[in-house]
Amino acid sequence: EIIAYHEAGHAVARHMLPNVDALVKVSIIPRGRSLGANWYLPKERNIMTRQQILDKMCAALAGRAAEELTFGEISSGALDDLEKVTKMAYTMVSRYGLSESIGNISFHDSTGEYQQSFQKPYSEYMGKAIDQEVQRIVEETYQRAKELLQEEKGSLRNVAELLKEKEIIQKKDVENVFTKQTV
């Protein structure tokens, strides 16, 4: 049941968020290390805006948010999601200069000069500021995922129930959940 709600959280968020890759199918059948999965069709993008990255992070955190909203606690099932989101946030802040508090600074080293040095290209103070900004972004994005799913609690429940019944659902199944609620 936890896996169904976790995967349903991702699916509902992907349906609601404008800047995420299109959902293809959702499964709660374990495969390898994964206990469930959402498959999606990536858009070809050479660049991404700050909002596009934040929407992707929100969709990734929606599985954990669904667990918390439904069961009142979280599980270790979001490990892969958390790793991806943390990397995205650090990339936003320290590579792409997409943080208001850190500013238009990139510590990306396309030349390889920093790799030959034993020092980071920023101070201890800046390192702490980057860490704090990443933590703030991830926490705000998680809260956004919870708010989105709270507003769509009925859809979340219906998608999770459908997953428990069928084990694999397609994009059209998720869309039908939303269509039936608006009729």
Side-chain angles (χ1 to χ4, degrees):
E1 189 171 23
I2 291 173
I3 297 163
Y5 273 91
H6 182 101
E7 297 305 332
H10 290 306
V12 168
R14 286 196 168 282
H15 181 80
M16 300 302 298
L17 294 166
N19 296 307
V20 295
D21 299 328
L23 182 69
V24 175
K25 71 179 177 178
V26 185
S27 171
I28 58 169
I29 298 173
R31 287 188 174 86
R33 295 182 333 161
S34 176
L35 298 175
N38 272 241
W39 283 270
Y40 47 91
L41 187 60
K43 295 177 184 173
E44 289 187 37
R45 293 185 175 131
N46 290 327
I47 61 170
M48 288 180 57
T49 67
R50 184 176 195 277
Q51 192 57 54
Q52 287 170 327
I53 296 169
L54 291 171
D55 282 359
K56 285 181 76 163
M57 291 171 62
C58 185
L61 291 170
R64 175 168 271 203
E67 291 178 26
E68 183 176 348
L69 287 172
T70 306
F71 304 106
E73 64 181 345
I74 54 176
S75 75
S76 61
L79 176 61
D80 186 56
D81 302 328
L82 294 172
E83 288 175 357
K84 288 176 187 173
V85 166
T86 303
K87 286 178 186 175
M88 281 191 267
Y90 271 105
T91 299
M92 263 180 74
V93 172
S94 65
R95 186 173 184 172
Y96 296 147
L98 294 175
S99 161
E100 291 175 15
S101 70
I102 302 299
N104 296 315
I105 297 174
S106 176
F107 298 106
H108 176 64
D109 179 22
S110 59
T111 65
E113 289 178 32
Y114 300 141
Q115 293 174 357
Q116 295 173 8
S117 162
F118 290 108
Q119 295 182 326
K120 292 181 181 178
Y122 48 83
S123 67
E124 185 178 330
Y125 171 81
M126 182 58 77
K128 287 179 184 178
I130 290 169
D131 290 344
Q132 289 172 347
E133 179 66 353
V134 165
Q135 188 174 15
R136 183 194 66 77
I137 289 169
V138 172
E139 185 56 33
E140 284 181 7
T141 305
Y142 181 66
Q143 293 305 319
R144 180 177 172 221
K146 285 183 8 182
E147 290 168 12
L148 183 140
L149 294 178
Q150 184 66 42
E151 292 172 13
E152 293 295 334
K153 207 165 189 173
S155 300
L156 175 65
R157 182 184 58 254
N158 292 340
V159 171
E161 292 300 321
L162 197 57
L163 272 168
K164 290 188 324 188
E165 177 188 327
K166 294 184 170 188
E167 295 185 328
I168 297 176
I169 61 174
Q170 306 298 319
K171 176 184 179 177
K172 66 177 172 37
D173 298 316
V174 175
E175 289 172 344
N176 287 340
V177 165
F178 285 91
T179 303
K180 287 178 183 175
Q181 290 181 348
T182 58
V183 174

